[in-house]
């Protein structure tokens, strides 16, 4: 007779639900925004807790649980590619003991004695983005990101701009009818420094680390942006494969090299787990001298036959493991503790630190997560603390060095009120996060607006950097609806605001009026409604009106929408301030387009424009955006391929070059007239 299963207590069920929601949110920040807010260690702890709960109470398992999935949800803006063989993830080993345990477990599975020899390949675990390239008879035909492991995003156009990825393989690669070549796209440290310096000088937000920079550069709608970033790639595994076969990882990597695919020369065949450990130890030192980030060592069974025998369990193969190096830890002092108000009102305590270098990056802030974490670690202002950047994400305080205490340290108490608006902060049941409940809290409004205009949302590039703050500070806007009634005249009195910039901003806002329903929904900043959820809701209900009218129960019936998400989305629309905001957005002419109705056109396809000189009618940015939106190219240099140079006053060398090459030169008005004749809506260009 089967043992009766323990009944699942309601608090375990609530905890699992809360963990799932929290993990989903962190997945979104990591994979979609490329802006994680917790360390890998903290994320792993959440993930393990959920996995343990689900293992203990099997009726808590869900198909849509993050534990049942690999990697990130896909974004809608790029086409989807189904991987013929799924892209798996790896289990982690923390420390020598877990590595030995893995070796023993694998041998047990193979019914081998513990002292039997299994050949391993040890490789560096590159900290970038995994990619799958399909080559047919040696020619690159498709490139896709991992996505959720089964299907990813089509990034072929972007990958074609990466020099280190061969478009055609050499040698006998044409034997392979079709092969999915897998590896990692990453950004070297020097390139990361260059891009960030460039962003800083242009007042554009900098990337937190090379991984985020690589992700941001690859998952671009505009391949020109990818082309401007020097990404690199190395290849280490294979998916579907027709026409060739490999016996081992060693043979695979040697073949890849022969075909002209970059592989990492830093690798080693090891006959025992002790040899693997020596490799791990060697690179614990050497990794500091590499020009790219690694976050561990991947150990693989070398023989493909043995790999096949071992197989995989849910999200990861039994035949490979990722050894993770402990995070780099550094001591510094807590100068202050401040509270940050998030878009959803979450109040996060942040330690302001004496700046210190950790893993090559200067750190001056570290998250303290929430008040129970502060209490648990007993962090006080003035304390010397150990901080770490695990997995190169937002740093966190690991522990207080109590032996350094002088007695002058001040304990910190989370304010009972929101630091921005003074509203009494509250903690919802089952949550550790304290939130500001005031829907009109200025800081919350600011964060919501930042989100509203951000790239995955309404994508109003002209309001990037500090411009939005400038409008808020000047009292010109308070919320998203105010944006759509702004005029260029209102902007003109602002500091460093010229005619062109002002019209460019208004044009940028104008162009956002018809973003898709999914983007609009995501832009509203509803808790739990990330890009993917917004797409699902938009796809299912088809119109804003129907979404607003749906009850939580109706939303929860939609495939992929969980109860918590449904509850949160439905509650958001019933909140009077939110309903009022949506009403004003619509009144101001915002018309979320039904999904699938793309605002892009192909009207300027095959045409390349160069804008030069002092433009009067529009900004270069706005004109280039219109060109790109309509399928054309905007370039910074004139060549024979240039369709026309649009020259403003005092145009210099580019105009001369156009004349030299016989390329058409247009005035701004001629460009507008020509574009309009081709059916292009130039409203987004000249307001
Ligand atoms: S093998 C089935 N080898 O690590 C396993 N992965 O955490 C296929 N990674 O998704 C992966 N360097 O993005 C493998 N030398 C390496 C790697 C590597 C980095 C990444 C890869 C994978 C992730 C798993």
């Amino acid at each position: 007779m089967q043992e009766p299963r323990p009944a699942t207590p309601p608090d375990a069920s609530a905890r699992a639900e809360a963990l799932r929601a929290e993990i989903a949110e962190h997945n979104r920040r990591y994979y979609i925004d490329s802006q994680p807010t917790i360390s890998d260690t903290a994320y792993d702890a959440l993930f393990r807790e959920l996995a343990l709960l689900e293992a203990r109470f099997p009726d808590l398992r869900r198909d849509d649980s993050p534990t049942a999935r690999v990697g990130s949800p896909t974004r809608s803006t790029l086409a989807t590619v189904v991987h013929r063989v799924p892209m798996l993830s790896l289990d982690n080993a923390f420390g020598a003991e877990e590595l030995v345990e893995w070796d023993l477990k694998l041998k047990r599975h193979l019914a081998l004695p513990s002292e039997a020899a299994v050949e391993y390949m040890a490789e560096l675990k590159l900290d970038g983005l995994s990619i799958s390239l399909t080559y047919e008879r040696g020619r690159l035909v498709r490139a896709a990101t991992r996505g959720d492991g089964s299907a990813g995003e089509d990034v072929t156009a972007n990958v074609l701009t990466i020099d280190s990825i061969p478009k055609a393989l050499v040698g006998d690669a044409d034997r392979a009818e079709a092969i999915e070549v897998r590896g990692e796209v990453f950004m070297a440290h020097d390139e990361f420094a260059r891009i960030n310096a460039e962003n800083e000088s242009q007042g554009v937000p900098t990337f937190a680390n090379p991984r985020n920079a690589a992700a941001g550069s690859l998952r671009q709608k505009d391949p020109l942006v990818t082309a401007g970033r020097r990404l690199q790639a190395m290849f280490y595994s294979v998916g579907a494969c027709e026409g060739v076969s490999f016996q081992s990882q060693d043979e695979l990597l040697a073949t890849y090299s022969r075909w002209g695919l970059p592989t990492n020369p830093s690798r080693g065949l090891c006959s025992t787990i002790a040899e693997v450990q020596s490799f791990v130890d060697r690179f614990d030192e050497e990794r500091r001298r590499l020009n790219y980030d690694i976050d561990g060592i991947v150990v693989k069974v070398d023989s493909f036959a043995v790999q096949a025998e071992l197989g995989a369990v849910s999200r990861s193969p039994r035949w490979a493991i990722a050894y993770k190096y402990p995070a780099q830890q550094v001591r510094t002092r807590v100068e202050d503790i401040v509270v940050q108000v998030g878009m959803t009102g979450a109040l996060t305590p942040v330690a302001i630190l004496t700046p210190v270098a950790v893993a090559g990056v200067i750190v001056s802030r570290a998250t303290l997560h929430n008040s129970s974490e502060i209490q648990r670690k007993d962090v006080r202002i003035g304390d010397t603390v150990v901080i770490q950047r695990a997995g190169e994400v937002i740093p966190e305080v690991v522990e207080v060095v109590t032996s350094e205490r002088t007695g002058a340290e001040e304990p910190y108490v989370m304010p009972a009120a929101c630091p921005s608006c003074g509203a009494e902060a509250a903690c919802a049941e089952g949550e550790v996060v304290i939130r500001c409940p005031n829907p009109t809290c200025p800081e919350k409004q600011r964060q919501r607006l930042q989100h509203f205009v951000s790239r995955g949302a309404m994508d109003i590039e002209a309001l990037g950097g500090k411009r939005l703050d400038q409008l808020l500070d000047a009292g010109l806007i308070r919320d998203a609806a105010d944006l759509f009634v702004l005029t260029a005249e209102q902007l003109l009195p602002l500091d460093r605001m010229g005619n062109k910039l002002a019209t460019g901003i208004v044009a940028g806002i104008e162009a956002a009026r018809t973003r898709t329903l999914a983007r609009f929904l995501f832009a509203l900043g509803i808790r739990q409604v990330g890009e993917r959820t917004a797409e699902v809701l938009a796809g299912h209900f088809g119109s804003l009106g129907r979404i607003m009218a749906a009850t939580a129960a109706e939303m929860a019936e939609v495939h992929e929408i969980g109860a918590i998400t449904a509850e949160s989305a439905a509650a958001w629309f019933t909140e009077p301030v939110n309903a009022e905001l949506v009403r004003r957005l619509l009144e101001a002419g915002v018309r979320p387009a039904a999904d699938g109705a793309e605002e892009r056109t192909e009207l300027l396809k095959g045409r390349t424009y160069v804008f030069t000189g002092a433009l009067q009618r529009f900004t270069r940015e706005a004109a280039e955006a219109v060109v790109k939106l309509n399928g054309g190219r905007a370039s910074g240099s004139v060549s024979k391929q240039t369709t026309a140079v649009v020259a403003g006053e005092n145009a210099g060398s580019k105009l001369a070059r156009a004349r030299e090459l016989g390329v058409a030169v247009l005035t701004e008005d001629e460009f507008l007239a020509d574009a309009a004749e081709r059916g292009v809506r130039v409203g987004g260009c000249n307001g």
Side-chain angles (χ1 to χ4, degrees):
M1 212 182 90
Q2 226 180 348
E3 286 243 332
R5 289 234 169 92
T8 306
D11 56 342
S13 162
R15 179 69 188 145
E17 187 82 338
L19 282 166
R20 273 196 286 268
E22 202 173 340
I23 293 169
E25 174 62 17
H26 288 305
N27 279 348
R28 190 183 68 72
R29 290 182 193 168
Y30 185 87
Y31 289 111
I32 295 177
D33 301 344
S34 300
Q35 299 280 8
T37 53
I38 59 166
S39 68
D40 278 5
T41 323
Y43 177 86
D44 286 344
L46 293 175
F47 199 97
R48 276 189 181 202
E49 188 185 344
L50 178 59
L52 279 174
L53 268 177
E54 290 177 343
R56 193 147 158 240
F57 305 112
D59 63 330
L60 290 181
R61 286 186 200 153
R62 301 277 178 279
D63 284 349
D64 65 350
S65 171
T67 56
R69 262 185 266 148
V70 183
S72 64
T74 56
R75 291 193 334 167
S76 64
T77 40
L78 297 165
T80 301
V81 173
V82 175
H83 303 302
R84 290 178 56 195
V85 170
M87 294 180 80
L88 299 182
S89 186
L90 294 173
D91 263 349
N92 295 324
F94 299 96
E97 260 175 45
E98 291 193 18
L99 200 57
V100 171
E101 253 172 50
W102 171 73
D103 170 67
L104 292 176
K105 197 163 141 198
L106 171 161
K107 284 173 181 163
R108 276 199 302 276
H109 202 92
L110 293 169
L112 289 175
S114 58
E115 63 285 358
V118 170
E119 190 99 278
Y120 293 117
M121 176 65 85
E123 298 171 11
L124 304 192
K125 187 168 188 302
L126 300 162
D127 196 11
L129 268 99
S130 37
I131 187 138
S132 182
L133 307 180
T134 304
Y135 286 90
E136 286 175 8
R137 297 214 155 273
R139 304 203 72 82
L140 178 63
V141 295
R142 207 166 308 105
T145 61
R146 179 171 68 177
D148 66 1
S150 311
E153 294 164 326
D154 188 332
V155 286
T156 314
N158 301 346
V159 161
L160 288 173
T161 71
I162 304 178
D163 286 340
S164 61
I165 295 184
K167 317 302 171 288
L169 301 179
V170 295
D172 57 355
D174 54 356
R175 281 190 302 137
E177 206 70 53
I179 181 169
E180 287 177 333
V181 169
R182 279 148 187 199
E184 202 87 352
V185 168
F186 62 97
M187 190 178 278
H189 290 159
D190 47 3
E191 177 65 358
F192 172 66
R194 187 185 74 85
I195 301 283
N196 265 359
E198 197 174 281
N199 282 4
E200 212 165 311
S201 72
Q202 294 173 355
V204 177
T206 52
F207 290 107
N209 55 55
R211 203 206 82 89
N212 289 1
S217 306
L218 185 67
R219 299 170 63 226
Q220 275 289 336
K221 283 173 283 170
D222 181 359
L224 282 180
V225 177
T226 315
R229 315 261 171 90
R230 284 165 223 143
L231 291 172
Q232 295 188 34
M234 289 192 196
F235 298 91
Y236 48 66
S237 85
V238 63
C241 176
E242 288 165 30
V244 267
S245 64
F246 307 93
Q247 307 301 312
S248 67
Q249 178 69 4
D250 193 31
E251 187 195 343
L252 177 80
L253 296 178
T255 311
Y256 277 0
S257 280
R258 244 189 15 250
W259 288 352
L261 287 160
T263 58
N264 199 332
S266 298
R267 59 179 186 253
L269 273 176
C270 306
S271 312
T272 61
I273 207 71
E275 276 180 38
V276 170
Q277 187 62 50
S278 313
F279 185 94
V280 164
D281 294 342
R282 197 178 112 210
F283 274 93
D284 195 6
E285 265 307 305
E286 287 190 20
R287 70 190 166 118
R288 289 162 224 270
R289 290 189 288 278
L290 295 171
N291 190 22
Y292 51 84
D293 281 345
I294 65 167
D295 59 346
I297 299 292
V298 182
V299 190
K300 304 172 181 174
V301 168
D302 188 54
S303 155
F304 281 3
V306 180
Q307 285 187 6
E309 200 178 332
L310 285 163
V313 252
S314 73
R315 55 198 285 273
S316 14
R318 285 197 190 85
W319 47 264
I321 195 135
Y323 177 94
K324 291 289 192 78
Y325 288 114
Q328 291 199 38
Q329 300 190 334
V330 173
R331 280 186 184 195
T332 185
R333 191 171 162 274
V334 176
E335 292 181 354
D336 199 0
I337 295 177
V338 298
V339 171
Q340 209 166 279
V341 185
M343 167 172 79
T344 59
L347 302 187
T348 309
V350 174
I352 305 297
L353 308 168
T354 307
V356 63
V358 195
V361 174
I362 304 292
V363 168
S364 56
R365 294 163 78 89
T367 176
L368 293 164
H369 301 296
N370 52 57
S371 67
S372 57
E373 275 291 291
I374 299 188
Q375 273 172 19
R376 195 174 64 77
K377 292 177 182 160
D378 189 21
V379 183
R380 304 179 187 181
I381 298 168
D383 262 337
T384 297
V385 290
V386 174
I387 60 161
Q388 70 177 13
R389 285 179 69 228
E392 315 307 321
V393 287
I394 307 274
E396 63 175 353
V397 171
V398 184
E399 60 180 10
V400 173
V401 187
T402 42
S403 58
E404 296 276 323
R405 280 210 169 135
T406 61
E409 295 78 13
E410 293 166 46
Y412 181 77
V413 185
M414 276 287 277
C418 168
S420 171
C421 69
E424 197 179 325
C427 187
E429 230 185 270
E431 279 200 20
V432 280
V433 179
I434 302 177
R435 287 176 203 275
C436 164
N438 174 10
T440 58
C441 164
E443 183 57 22
K444 215 157 122 178
Q445 298 272 58
R446 198 179 70 82
Q447 298 276 350
R448 283 171 68 168
L449 262 165
Q450 293 277 13
H451 171 76
F452 187 83
V453 304
S454 69
R455 214 185 61 195
M458 297 296 260
D459 199 9
I460 309 180
E461 216 180 323
L463 288 177
K466 299 257 174 285
R467 295 226 181 103
L468 195 66
D469 285 342
Q470 208 186 358
L471 302 193
L472 277 163
D473 294 344
L476 286 176
I477 52 167
R478 270 176 318 144
D479 61 23
D482 294 336
L483 287 176
F484 295 93
V485 290
L486 273 181
T487 61
E489 289 69 39
Q490 284 178 294
L491 298 175
L492 280 174
L494 297 179
D495 201 25
R496 280 178 295 151
M497 182 70 64
N499 219 338
K500 280 185 296 176
L501 192 53
T503 41
I505 291 176
V506 175
I509 296 171
E510 168 73 28
R513 278 185 211 274
T514 50
R515 295 279 186 255
T516 59
L517 178 58
R519 271 170 174 269
F520 176 78
L521 209 53
F522 172 60
L524 292 175
I526 304 168
R527 262 174 74 198
Q528 310 288 343
V529 181
E531 265 180 305
R532 175 72 195 147
T533 305
E535 273 162 33
V536 173
L537 288 174
H540 180 87
F541 291 101
S543 80
L544 184 61
R546 271 184 241 133
I547 293 174
M548 290 174 74
T551 62
E554 281 161 351
M555 289 196 192
E557 273 171 27
V558 181
H559 182 62
E560 279 192 62
I561 304 293
I564 292 186
T565 305
E567 197 61 57
S568 166
W572 194 92
F573 285 106
T574 54
E575 186 80 50
V577 233
N578 297 334
E580 174 65 9
L581 174 71
V582 173
R583 191 192 61 73
R584 286 176 45 238
L585 280 163
L586 295 176
E587 193 180 83
V590 178
R591 292 285 172 269
D595 275 35
E598 277 293 329
E599 63 263 41
R600 289 177 169 263
T601 80
E602 301 273 86
L603 294 165
L604 298 179
K605 193 171 176 190
R607 302 178 73 80
T608 303
Y609 294 87
V610 175
F611 294 90
T612 185
L615 301 168
Q616 306 298 321
R617 298 287 313 268
F618 41 75
T619 64
R620 203 174 73 205
E621 256 179 336
E624 290 184 349
V626 167
V627 168
K628 288 183 203 161
L629 196 67
N630 290 286
R633 283 191 55 193
S635 170
S637 59
V638 184
S639 76
K640 279 194 198 143
Q641 274 71 48
T642 309
T643 311
V645 169
V646 182
E649 274 170 39
N650 303 324
S653 62
K654 290 180 193 170
L655 178 59
R657 180 91 181 122
R659 299 230 161 98
E660 204 177 296
L661 294 172
V663 167
V665 177
L666 302 179
T667 64
E668 289 168 74
D669 286 333
E670 283 166 349
F671 165 73
L672 289 175
D674 182 55
E677 247 171 57
R678 289 173 195 280
V680 174
R681 279 189 58 224
V682 288
C685 190
N686 65 355

